[in-house]
Amino acid sequence: MEAGRILQIGIPWITWRSPPRLPNFPRYICASSIQRGSYKGPKPGRDWIADWVSKNDDAVRSMPIYVGGASLLAVLFNRAISGIAPVADASSSQSRADLLTLGLAVTNVLTGLVWLSIRPKSITPVEPQGVECQEIYSLLPESVVSEILWVWESLSAVTCCKSLVIVYDCQCIVQIGVAAKSLNIDEPFAVDAAKLMQGSLYQGVLKSGAQSYMANLSLYPGRSELPFLPSNTQ
């Protein structure tokens, strides 16, 4: 009778070997070894049609007129040489086709006239009519004031921004740049933060949660809500 078993587990011996040495690569790359123009990645595409249209805007807008006029002449010429009576006959398929072609030709001519009448308005830069001001809330920390001044200098240097107004927590903390003149001579028009926040402009931005871009301020209904901006602000 076998009382028990003894398990013998063989543990293999592992022989450690030193890793092979890697070749010594240079730790720096000379700038002269990089060839210019060696970039082989994807190149940005270019829309040739859009470029041609932007360069020939007048010709593109007039093209429907030329197409419509040529279509009218072609229909009249075909009507003259086909031997059909000049009076339209509803029972004739040729007359119905000519009427349809005439309608399309007239539509092209009218489309060209509309395209020529509607053009993007070019805005000419103007000098703001107002007074220079730099009103900053006195309780702001110096670090915040320096950041605001840096932002204003950056905006005025790289963009056409002429006025900057910041309203925070029902308080106008910054009014800098060109401002409208108040009733007192050579004094800027003060910003009424409470009245501004009750206007439709602020309420609309608050509800939508997105910025409001006003392409033409003179036609905007809420122009009266921004009396502190120069009178000729575009």
Side-chain angles (χ1 to χ4, degrees), residues 165 167 193 195-215 217 220-229:
V165 175
V167 177
K195 185 177 180 180
L196 177 63
M197 296 176 66
Q198 293 175 359
S200 60
L201 177 61
Y202 177 84
Q203 295 297 329
V205 173
L206 186 63
K207 291 180 181 179
S208 62
Q211 63 181 357
S212 178
Y213 173 71
M214 293 169 286
L217 188 60
Y220 189 73
R223 175 67 176 88
S224 59
E225 301 178 13
L226 307 172
F228 46 84
L229 294 179

Side-chain angles (χ1 to χ4, degrees), residues 7-217:
L7 299 178
Q8 295 181 357
I9 302 175
I11 301 176
W13 293 92
I14 301 176
T15 304
W16 294 95
R17 297 180 181 178
S18 59
R21 292 185 178 181
L22 298 176
N24 294 327
F25 293 102
R27 297 185 179 181
Y28 60 90
I29 300 175
C30 296
S32 60
S33 63
I34 301 177
Q35 298 179 358
R36 294 183 179 179
S38 60
Y39 175 71
K40 298 181 180 180
K43 297 182 179 180
R46 185 175 181 181
D47 194 347
W48 297 97
I49 298 178
D51 293 343
W52 183 84
V53 170
S54 61
K55 294 178 181 178
N56 302 273
D57 183 70
D58 294 336
V60 173
R61 291 177 182 272
S62 304
M63 191 174 296
I65 298 178
Y66 298 136
V67 174
S71 300
L72 286 174
L73 294 177
V75 171
L76 295 177
F77 180 75
N78 181 54
R79 190 80 178 181
I81 65 175
S82 60
I84 303 176
V87 181
D89 186 6
S91 61
S92 174
S93 60
Q94 181 66 33
S95 298
R96 293 194 296 269
D98 291 343
L99 289 176
L100 180 60
T101 306
L102 288 174
L104 294 176
V106 172
T107 303
N108 282 332
V109 173
L110 294 178
T111 301
L113 294 176
V114 171
W115 285 7
L116 289 176
S117 62
I118 300 177
R119 293 176 177 271
K121 181 181 178 181
S122 59
I123 299 178
T124 304
V126 296
E127 288 296 330
Q129 298 176 358
V131 294
E132 293 286 342
C133 71
Q134 186 172 338
E135 303 289 339
I136 300 178
Y137 191 49
S138 59
L139 299 181
L140 291 178
E142 294 184 0
S143 59
V144 177
V145 174
S146 62
E147 288 291 331
I148 292 175
L149 293 178
W150 174 80
V151 170
W152 166 245
E153 291 177 358
S154 302
L155 285 175
S156 59
V158 301
T159 66
C160 57
C161 180
K162 298 297 182 181
S163 302
L164 176 64
V165 175
I166 300 178
V167 177
Y168 178 76
D169 197 15
C170 300
Q171 179 72 34
C172 179
I173 60 175
V174 172
Q175 183 182 8
I176 191 171
V178 183
K181 292 183 179 180
S182 63
L183 298 178
N184 298 327
I185 301 176
D186 296 336
E187 289 188 5
F189 194 96
V191 179
D192 190 352
K195 185 177 180 180
L196 177 63
M197 296 176 66
Q198 293 175 359
S200 60
L201 177 61
Y202 177 84
Q203 295 297 329
V205 173
L206 186 63
K207 291 180 181 179
S208 62
Q211 63 181 357
S212 178
Y213 173 71
M214 293 169 286
N216 194 347
L217 188 60

